């Protein structure tokens, strides 16, 4: 009985100490944000609009299949294939439109019932205000939906602590070559 009481008292003291740290931390706002120089900065929302060029054909493809399962070619969804990309991002849908960055990462067919891609990629910006900054995407791309939404899970540079979403809409898809141009509207909350 005495030992149980002693254990309860010790647990209570630890819990109160942790609670005190939390309360004192909020008294000084957020010391982590203060340390990073973000304490007095307000979050802002940025809207980005660009086109993603996924080129699988020709002498210089920007998307290469690097793996597949034995059944990927016979699957109606391509289930199991993996593609590595370094796709151009441009202001307009034309291939010679001004480049604003690259989409670098991986997409994989992750659904047996419909064409659903797992997208794991970074938008690497190379022009304008966001030159040198990145946004990270991790989400599902239901390719045949008119508009697909994927989460922004982070970023670097001017997009540190980023969160938000990207909406993808197929602009063109060439059934013969497999090349695609996808329009992106990205909404990002960041400091």
């Amino acid at each position: 009985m005495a030992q149980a009481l002693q254990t309860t008292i010790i647990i209570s003291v630890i819990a109160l100490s942790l609670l005190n740290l939390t309360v004192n931390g909020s008294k000084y706002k957020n010391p982590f944000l203060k340390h990073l120089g973000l304490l007095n900065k307000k979050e802002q929302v940025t809207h980005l609009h660009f086109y993603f060029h996924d080129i699988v054909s020709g002498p210089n493809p920007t998307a290469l299949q690097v793996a597949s399962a034995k059944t990927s070619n016979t699957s109606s969804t391509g289930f199991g294939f993996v593609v590595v990309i370094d796709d151009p991002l441009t202001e307009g849908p034309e291939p010679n439109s001004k480049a604003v960055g690259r989409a670098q990462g991986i997409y994989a067919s992750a659904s047996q019932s419909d064409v659903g891609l797992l997208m794991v990629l970074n938008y690497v910006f190379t022009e304008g205000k966001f030159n040198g900054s990145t946004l990270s995407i991790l989400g599902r791309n239901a390719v045949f939906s008119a508009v697909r939404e994927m989460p922004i899970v982070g970023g670097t540079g001017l997009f540190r602590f980023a969160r938000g979403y990207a909406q993808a809409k197929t602009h063109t898809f060439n059934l013969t070559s497999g090349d695609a141009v996808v329009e992106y509207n990205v909404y990002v909350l960041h400091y």
Side-chain angles (χ1 to χ4, degrees):
M1 174 86 171
Q3 189 173 12
L5 181 60
Q6 185 179 15
T7 302
T8 303
I9 291 171
I10 290 171
I11 291 172
S12 298
V13 168
I14 291 171
L16 287 173
S17 296
L18 291 174
L19 180 62
N20 188 34
L21 285 174
T22 303
V23 170
N24 285 337
S26 64
K27 177 180 172 185
Y28 300 104
K29 300 208 177 167
N30 187 328
F32 182 65
L33 291 179
K34 182 178 179 183
H35 171 73
L36 295 173
L38 299 174
L39 185 61
N40 295 319
K41 286 191 175 184
K42 291 190 177 204
E43 283 188 301
Q44 57 186 317
V45 176
T46 297
H47 171 236
L48 302 167
H49 179 258
F50 51 82
Y51 291 83
F52 170 111
H53 298 261
D54 197 50
I55 304 161
V56 298
S57 68
N60 296 309
T62 62
L64 297 172
Q65 184 171 324
V66 295
S68 65
K70 288 181 182 181
T71 57
S72 292
N73 290 336
T74 58
S75 166
S76 63
T77 65
F79 180 65
F81 74 76
V82 178
V83 174
V84 174
I85 66 168
D86 185 10
D87 289 346
L89 301 177
T90 62
E91 285 183 348
E94 302 81 19
N96 60 352
S97 182
K98 182 180 178 186
V100 296
R102 308 291 293 188
Q104 298 173 332
I106 297 170
Y107 61 79
S109 179
S111 176
Q112 293 183 44
S113 59
D114 62 345
V115 181
L117 302 177
L118 167 64
M119 305 291 286
V120 182
L121 57 97
N122 290 307
Y123 296 137
V124 181
F125 297 100
T126 57
E127 290 292 325
K129 177 181 177 181
F130 302 111
N131 182 16
S133 298
T134 67
L135 287 172
S136 297
I137 307 288
L138 174 64
R140 184 175 195 274
N141 183 349
V143 175
F144 293 119
S145 295
V147 178
R148 289 88 68 191
E149 188 172 293
M150 292 166 280
I152 304 287
V153 297
T156 65
L158 293 176
F159 292 125
R160 287 185 188 123
F161 297 105
R163 63 191 188 283
Y165 63 96
Q167 290 181 325
K169 181 179 177 184
T170 302
H171 182 267
T172 58
F173 177 69
N174 185 316
L175 288 171
T176 306
S177 68
D179 295 347
V181 177
V182 181
E183 179 180 15
Y184 273 88
N185 279 290
V186 178
Y187 299 89
V188 187
L189 200 59
H190 61 98
Y191 285 96

